Amino acid sequence: MGADMARHVYETLQEVAAATPGSSLPLVNAGYLAIDSLRIEAGRLAWGHELTSDETPLEAGLGFAVKIGKPGGFIGEEALAAQKASGVTRRCCLFEAPSDLAGPYIWGGEPILVDGSYSGLNVTSGARVPVLGCSSGSFRTMALGYVTSQGTAVIDKVWLAQRRFDIEVGNQMVPVTPRLLPVPLPKK
């Protein structure tokens, strides 16, 4: 659709929605924060937030998108192969705080604590996400960010399960549960 048609399409959709009262799928306007909350909930990374030139695909949980040993290779292939062989000591995770109507509101930049100590890393993105199937006003807080192990410990599900994670919001420590990326898509 061309940009010149956007207003017409928007107005037509609004008119059709208004003409079908009681629809089980009402049409509502949604802005960037709504779209960003969907991205974060799905564990999808954004350039400039979770993805920069400082992270490798393995650290970002995007190892599935890189083929080591492919004919012709690529710049950095040797370093990535070495990192894969030795294990990843820095990983992007999806963090979830317990559902709470009052907050917390995590937007990005908040410190991530591991076992009560500042990790030196911060949340890269955060959002309040509506809880599907719950009453209006039920939200959970989700965030994306990197964790790093001290020394050569490989970050995997076991490593995550053996530690306590918090995100500092203002002067409040919010306990969070981490998951490694990529987050599997729901089965149809």
mmCIF file of all heavy atoms in Angstrom, residues 149-181:
data_model
loop_
_atom_site.group_PDB
_atom_site.id
_atom_site.type_symbol
_atom_site.label_atom_id
_atom_site.label_comp_id
_atom_site.label_asym_id
_atom_site.label_seq_id
_atom_site.Cartn_x
_atom_site.Cartn_y
_atom_site.Cartn_z
ATOM 1 N N SER A 149 28.772 -14.128 33.062
ATOM 2 C CA SER A 149 29.284 -14.945 34.158
ATOM 3 C C SER A 149 30.667 -14.437 34.528
ATOM 4 O O SER A 149 31.341 -13.796 33.727
ATOM 5 C CB SER A 149 29.356 -16.419 33.752
ATOM 6 O OG SER A 149 30.288 -16.606 32.705
ATOM 7 N N GLN A 150 31.072 -14.706 35.744
ATOM 8 C CA GLN A 150 32.416 -14.326 36.166
ATOM 9 C C GLN A 150 33.362 -15.443 35.729
ATOM 10 O O GLN A 150 33.108 -16.604 35.974
ATOM 11 C CB GLN A 150 32.457 -14.134 37.683
ATOM 12 C CG GLN A 150 31.461 -13.100 38.189
ATOM 13 C CD GLN A 150 31.669 -11.732 37.553
ATOM 14 O OE1 GLN A 150 32.783 -11.290 37.364
ATOM 15 N NE2 GLN A 150 30.569 -11.075 37.219
ATOM 16 N N GLY A 151 34.434 -15.088 35.077
ATOM 17 C CA GLY A 151 35.394 -16.101 34.634
ATOM 18 C C GLY A 151 34.946 -16.801 33.375
ATOM 19 O O GLY A 151 34.453 -16.165 32.441
ATOM 20 N N THR A 152 35.068 -18.127 33.372
ATOM 21 C CA THR A 152 34.800 -18.895 32.157
ATOM 22 C C THR A 152 33.524 -19.724 32.232
ATOM 23 O O THR A 152 33.312 -20.575 31.381
ATOM 24 C CB THR A 152 35.988 -19.825 31.854
ATOM 25 O OG1 THR A 152 36.172 -20.701 32.977
ATOM 26 C CG2 THR A 152 37.262 -19.041 31.581
ATOM 27 N N ALA A 153 32.700 -19.507 33.250
ATOM 28 C CA ALA A 153 31.456 -20.275 33.384
ATOM 29 C C ALA A 153 30.545 -20.000 32.193
ATOM 30 O O ALA A 153 30.298 -18.853 31.834
ATOM 31 C CB ALA A 153 30.746 -19.919 34.684
ATOM 32 N N VAL A 154 30.069 -21.067 31.581
ATOM 33 C CA VAL A 154 29.187 -20.968 30.420
ATOM 34 C C VAL A 154 27.765 -20.676 30.896
ATOM 35 O O VAL A 154 27.277 -21.306 31.838
ATOM 36 C CB VAL A 154 29.226 -22.274 29.603
ATOM 37 C CG1 VAL A 154 28.203 -22.246 28.472
ATOM 38 C CG2 VAL A 154 30.625 -22.508 29.056
ATOM 39 N N ILE A 155 27.112 -19.713 30.257
ATOM 40 C CA ILE A 155 25.735 -19.367 30.622
ATOM 41 C C ILE A 155 24.785 -20.278 29.853
ATOM 42 O O ILE A 155 24.758 -20.274 28.617
ATOM 43 C CB ILE A 155 25.425 -17.892 30.338
ATOM 44 C CG1 ILE A 155 26.326 -17.008 31.204
ATOM 45 C CG2 ILE A 155 23.957 -17.598 30.605
ATOM 46 C CD1 ILE A 155 26.158 -15.535 30.966
ATOM 47 N N ASP A 156 24.036 -21.071 30.613
ATOM 48 C CA ASP A 156 23.011 -21.938 30.050
ATOM 49 C C ASP A 156 21.848 -21.977 31.039
ATOM 50 O O ASP A 156 21.840 -21.237 32.034
ATOM 51 C CB ASP A 156 23.569 -23.341 29.760
ATOM 52 C CG ASP A 156 24.193 -24.009 30.991
ATOM 53 O OD1 ASP A 156 23.955 -23.539 32.130
ATOM 54 O OD2 ASP A 156 24.910 -24.996 30.816
ATOM 55 N N LYS A 157 20.859 -22.831 30.785
ATOM 56 C CA LYS A 157 19.684 -22.892 31.665
ATOM 57 C C LYS A 157 20.075 -23.262 33.090
ATOM 58 O O LYS A 157 19.510 -22.741 34.050
ATOM 59 C CB LYS A 157 18.665 -23.892 31.115
ATOM 60 C CG LYS A 157 17.973 -23.429 29.859
ATOM 61 C CD LYS A 157 16.994 -24.473 29.370
ATOM 62 C CE LYS A 157 16.357 -24.017 28.069
ATOM 63 N NZ LYS A 157 15.414 -25.015 27.548
ATOM 64 N N VAL A 158 21.030 -24.164 33.231
ATOM 65 C CA VAL A 158 21.468 -24.582 34.570
ATOM 66 C C VAL A 158 22.101 -23.406 35.302
ATOM 67 O O VAL A 158 21.804 -23.156 36.468
ATOM 68 C CB VAL A 158 22.445 -25.779 34.472
ATOM 69 C CG1 VAL A 158 23.046 -26.111 35.833
ATOM 70 C CG2 VAL A 158 21.747 -26.984 33.870
ATOM 71 N N TRP A 159 22.991 -22.673 34.627
ATOM 72 C CA TRP A 159 23.643 -21.507 35.242
ATOM 73 C C TRP A 159 22.594 -20.502 35.706
ATOM 74 O O TRP A 159 22.674 -19.979 36.807
ATOM 75 C CB TRP A 159 24.625 -20.871 34.245
ATOM 76 C CG TRP A 159 25.477 -19.793 34.823
ATOM 77 C CD1 TRP A 159 26.702 -19.928 35.413
ATOM 78 C CD2 TRP A 159 25.171 -18.388 34.874
ATOM 79 N NE1 TRP A 159 27.174 -18.707 35.834
ATOM 80 C CE2 TRP A 159 26.255 -17.742 35.513
ATOM 81 C CE3 TRP A 159 24.105 -17.617 34.460
ATOM 82 C CZ2 TRP A 159 26.303 -16.371 35.731
ATOM 83 C CZ3 TRP A 159 24.133 -16.245 34.679
ATOM 84 C CH2 TRP A 159 25.226 -15.629 35.309
ATOM 85 N N LEU A 160 21.604 -20.234 34.864
ATOM 86 C CA LEU A 160 20.545 -19.282 35.225
ATOM 87 C C LEU A 160 19.744 -19.770 36.431
ATOM 88 O O LEU A 160 19.412 -18.996 37.321
ATOM 89 C CB LEU A 160 19.608 -19.033 34.045
ATOM 90 C CG LEU A 160 20.177 -18.290 32.841
ATOM 91 C CD1 LEU A 160 19.155 -18.246 31.720
ATOM 92 C CD2 LEU A 160 20.652 -16.910 33.208
ATOM 93 N N ALA A 161 19.431 -21.071 36.461
ATOM 94 C CA ALA A 161 18.609 -21.630 37.534
ATOM 95 C C ALA A 161 19.318 -21.591 38.885
ATOM 96 O O ALA A 161 18.657 -21.591 39.931
ATOM 97 C CB ALA A 161 18.215 -23.067 37.195
ATOM 98 N N GLN A 162 20.622 -21.531 38.884
ATOM 99 C CA GLN A 162 21.395 -21.549 40.131
ATOM 100 C C GLN A 162 21.616 -20.154 40.711
ATOM 101 O O GLN A 162 22.307 -20.006 41.715
ATOM 102 C CB GLN A 162 22.755 -22.215 39.902
ATOM 103 C CG GLN A 162 22.645 -23.683 39.578
ATOM 104 C CD GLN A 162 23.975 -24.287 39.160
ATOM 105 O OE1 GLN A 162 24.913 -23.589 38.796
ATOM 106 N NE2 GLN A 162 24.039 -25.609 39.208
ATOM 107 N N ARG A 163 21.046 -19.138 40.085
ATOM 108 C CA ARG A 163 21.273 -17.770 40.539
ATOM 109 C C ARG A 163 19.965 -17.022 40.756
ATOM 110 O O ARG A 163 18.935 -17.388 40.215
ATOM 111 C CB ARG A 163 22.144 -17.041 39.521
ATOM 112 C CG ARG A 163 23.589 -17.456 39.695
ATOM 113 C CD ARG A 163 24.431 -17.324 38.454
ATOM 114 N NE ARG A 163 25.772 -17.836 38.731
ATOM 115 C CZ ARG A 163 26.090 -19.117 38.712
ATOM 116 N NH1 ARG A 163 25.196 -20.022 38.428
ATOM 117 N NH2 ARG A 163 27.337 -19.494 38.957
ATOM 118 N N ARG A 164 20.071 -15.952 41.540
ATOM 119 C CA ARG A 164 18.928 -15.059 41.774
ATOM 120 C C ARG A 164 19.167 -13.793 40.965
ATOM 121 O O ARG A 164 20.266 -13.235 40.967
ATOM 122 C CB ARG A 164 18.829 -14.716 43.266
ATOM 123 C CG ARG A 164 17.580 -13.921 43.592
ATOM 124 C CD ARG A 164 17.518 -13.501 45.050
ATOM 125 N NE ARG A 164 18.258 -12.245 45.225
ATOM 126 C CZ ARG A 164 19.352 -12.104 45.955
ATOM 127 N NH1 ARG A 164 19.879 -13.121 46.582
ATOM 128 N NH2 ARG A 164 19.956 -10.932 46.050
ATOM 129 N N PHE A 165 18.134 -13.334 40.278
ATOM 130 C CA PHE A 165 18.238 -12.143 39.442
ATOM 131 C C PHE A 165 17.253 -11.088 39.925
ATOM 132 O O PHE A 165 16.109 -11.399 40.256
ATOM 133 C CB PHE A 165 17.951 -12.487 37.976
ATOM 134 C CG PHE A 165 18.997 -13.363 37.368
ATOM 135 C CD1 PHE A 165 18.936 -14.742 37.485
ATOM 136 C CD2 PHE A 165 20.071 -12.811 36.686
ATOM 137 C CE1 PHE A 165 19.907 -15.554 36.943
ATOM 138 C CE2 PHE A 165 21.052 -13.617 36.140
ATOM 139 C CZ PHE A 165 20.969 -14.986 36.267
ATOM 140 N N ASP A 166 17.717 -9.849 39.950
ATOM 141 C CA ASP A 166 16.882 -8.710 40.297
ATOM 142 C C ASP A 166 17.185 -7.587 39.317
ATOM 143 O O ASP A 166 18.292 -7.517 38.764
ATOM 144 C CB ASP A 166 17.193 -8.201 41.715
ATOM 145 C CG ASP A 166 16.911 -9.238 42.773
ATOM 146 O OD1 ASP A 166 15.725 -9.491 43.040
ATOM 147 O OD2 ASP A 166 17.876 -9.789 43.336
ATOM 148 N N ILE A 167 16.200 -6.724 39.131
ATOM 149 C CA ILE A 167 16.400 -5.489 38.376
ATOM 150 C C ILE A 167 16.079 -4.357 39.334
ATOM 151 O O ILE A 167 15.037 -4.378 39.997
ATOM 152 C CB ILE A 167 15.509 -5.442 37.121
ATOM 153 C CG1 ILE A 167 15.936 -6.544 36.141
ATOM 154 C CG2 ILE A 167 15.576 -4.066 36.457
ATOM 155 C CD1 ILE A 167 15.043 -6.685 34.921
ATOM 156 N N GLU A 168 16.988 -3.394 39.421
ATOM 157 C CA GLU A 168 16.779 -2.265 40.322
ATOM 158 C C GLU A 168 15.970 -1.191 39.601
ATOM 159 O O GLU A 168 16.392 -0.653 38.582
ATOM 160 C CB GLU A 168 18.107 -1.672 40.789
ATOM 161 C CG GLU A 168 17.914 -0.553 41.780
ATOM 162 C CD GLU A 168 19.215 0.053 42.267
ATOM 163 O OE1 GLU A 168 20.277 -0.227 41.677
ATOM 164 O OE2 GLU A 168 19.165 0.832 43.223
ATOM 165 N N VAL A 169 14.798 -0.911 40.139
ATOM 166 C CA VAL A 169 13.920 0.121 39.587
ATOM 167 C C VAL A 169 13.787 1.200 40.655
ATOM 168 O O VAL A 169 13.142 0.972 41.674
ATOM 169 C CB VAL A 169 12.539 -0.445 39.198
ATOM 170 C CG1 VAL A 169 11.666 0.642 38.594
ATOM 171 C CG2 VAL A 169 12.684 -1.614 38.244
ATOM 172 N N GLY A 170 14.412 2.346 40.411
ATOM 173 C CA GLY A 170 14.459 3.373 41.443
ATOM 174 C C GLY A 170 15.278 2.836 42.600
ATOM 175 O O GLY A 170 16.410 2.444 42.442
ATOM 176 N N ASN A 171 14.677 2.750 43.777
ATOM 177 C CA ASN A 171 15.381 2.167 44.914
ATOM 178 C C ASN A 171 14.772 0.822 45.312
ATOM 179 O O ASN A 171 14.993 0.338 46.404
ATOM 180 C CB ASN A 171 15.361 3.128 46.114
ATOM 181 C CG ASN A 171 13.951 3.408 46.579
ATOM 182 O OD1 ASN A 171 12.983 2.986 45.953
ATOM 183 N ND2 ASN A 171 13.820 4.118 47.690
ATOM 184 N N GLN A 172 14.019 0.214 44.402
ATOM 185 C CA GLN A 172 13.334 -1.049 44.663
ATOM 186 C C GLN A 172 14.003 -2.172 43.882
ATOM 187 O O GLN A 172 14.275 -2.038 42.685
ATOM 188 C CB GLN A 172 11.869 -0.924 44.250
ATOM 189 C CG GLN A 172 11.072 -2.196 44.392
ATOM 190 C CD GLN A 172 9.672 -2.071 43.787
ATOM 191 O OE1 GLN A 172 9.310 -1.047 43.212
ATOM 192 N NE2 GLN A 172 8.896 -3.122 43.910
ATOM 193 N N MET A 173 14.271 -3.295 44.553
ATOM 194 C CA MET A 173 14.799 -4.484 43.882
ATOM 195 C C MET A 173 13.616 -5.344 43.448
ATOM 196 O O MET A 173 12.799 -5.762 44.268
ATOM 197 C CB MET A 173 15.710 -5.293 44.807
ATOM 198 C CG MET A 173 16.958 -4.560 45.208
ATOM 199 S SD MET A 173 17.930 -4.122 43.757
ATOM 200 C CE MET A 173 19.134 -3.069 44.516
ATOM 201 N N VAL A 174 13.520 -5.592 42.151
ATOM 202 C CA VAL A 174 12.418 -6.374 41.599
ATOM 203 C C VAL A 174 12.958 -7.742 41.208
ATOM 204 O O VAL A 174 13.820 -7.847 40.324
ATOM 205 C CB VAL A 174 11.821 -5.672 40.363
ATOM 206 C CG1 VAL A 174 10.709 -6.503 39.760
ATOM 207 C CG2 VAL A 174 11.329 -4.281 40.732
ATOM 208 N N PRO A 175 12.490 -8.817 41.864
ATOM 209 C CA PRO A 175 12.948 -10.153 41.471
ATOM 210 C C PRO A 175 12.408 -10.504 40.084
ATOM 211 O O PRO A 175 11.258 -10.223 39.762
ATOM 212 C CB PRO A 175 12.356 -11.071 42.540
ATOM 213 C CG PRO A 175 11.225 -10.313 43.141
ATOM 214 C CD PRO A 175 11.515 -8.855 42.945
ATOM 215 N N VAL A 176 13.271 -11.087 39.259
ATOM 216 C CA VAL A 176 12.879 -11.455 37.896
ATOM 217 C C VAL A 176 13.347 -12.874 37.596
ATOM 218 O O VAL A 176 14.308 -13.361 38.189
ATOM 219 C CB VAL A 176 13.454 -10.477 36.844
ATOM 220 C CG1 VAL A 176 12.798 -9.110 36.951
ATOM 221 C CG2 VAL A 176 14.962 -10.360 36.949
ATOM 222 N N THR A 177 12.649 -13.507 36.676
ATOM 223 C CA THR A 177 13.013 -14.837 36.202
ATOM 224 C C THR A 177 13.561 -14.708 34.786
ATOM 225 O O THR A 177 12.875 -14.163 33.913
ATOM 226 C CB THR A 177 11.775 -15.755 36.196
ATOM 227 O OG1 THR A 177 11.213 -15.765 37.514
ATOM 228 C CG2 THR A 177 12.133 -17.160 35.770
ATOM 229 N N PRO A 178 14.794 -15.193 34.554
ATOM 230 C CA PRO A 178 15.370 -15.075 33.213
ATOM 231 C C PRO A 178 15.091 -16.307 32.346
ATOM 232 O O PRO A 178 14.915 -17.414 32.857
ATOM 233 C CB PRO A 178 16.867 -14.971 33.498
ATOM 234 C CG PRO A 178 17.048 -15.808 34.721
ATOM 235 C CD PRO A 178 15.773 -15.660 35.524
ATOM 236 N N ARG A 179 15.028 -16.088 31.046
ATOM 237 C CA ARG A 179 14.958 -17.164 30.048
ATOM 238 C C ARG A 179 15.967 -16.845 28.963
ATOM 239 O O ARG A 179 16.114 -15.684 28.574
ATOM 240 C CB ARG A 179 13.571 -17.252 29.417
ATOM 241 C CG ARG A 179 12.539 -17.843 30.341
ATOM 242 C CD ARG A 179 11.258 -18.103 29.604
ATOM 243 N NE ARG A 179 10.537 -16.823 29.472
ATOM 244 C CZ ARG A 179 9.475 -16.652 28.718
ATOM 245 N NH1 ARG A 179 9.003 -17.640 28.003
ATOM 246 N NH2 ARG A 179 8.874 -15.495 28.655
ATOM 247 N N LEU A 180 16.628 -17.875 28.472
ATOM 248 C CA LEU A 180 17.550 -17.684 27.369
ATOM 249 C C LEU A 180 16.792 -17.405 26.082
ATOM 250 O O LEU A 180 15.662 -17.853 25.902
ATOM 251 C CB LEU A 180 18.424 -18.933 27.163
ATOM 252 C CG LEU A 180 19.446 -19.229 28.251
ATOM 253 C CD1 LEU A 180 20.132 -20.570 27.968
ATOM 254 C CD2 LEU A 180 20.475 -18.128 28.356
ATOM 255 N N LEU A 181 17.436 -16.672 25.197
ATOM 256 C CA LEU A 181 16.883 -16.454 23.859
ATOM 257 C C LEU A 181 17.517 -17.458 22.908
ATOM 258 O O LEU A 181 18.609 -17.917 23.149
ATOM 259 C CB LEU A 181 17.195 -15.027 23.409
ATOM 260 C CG LEU A 181 16.563 -13.924 24.254
ATOM 261 C CD1 LEU A 181 17.010 -12.567 23.763
ATOM 262 C CD2 LEU A 181 15.057 -14.020 24.215
#
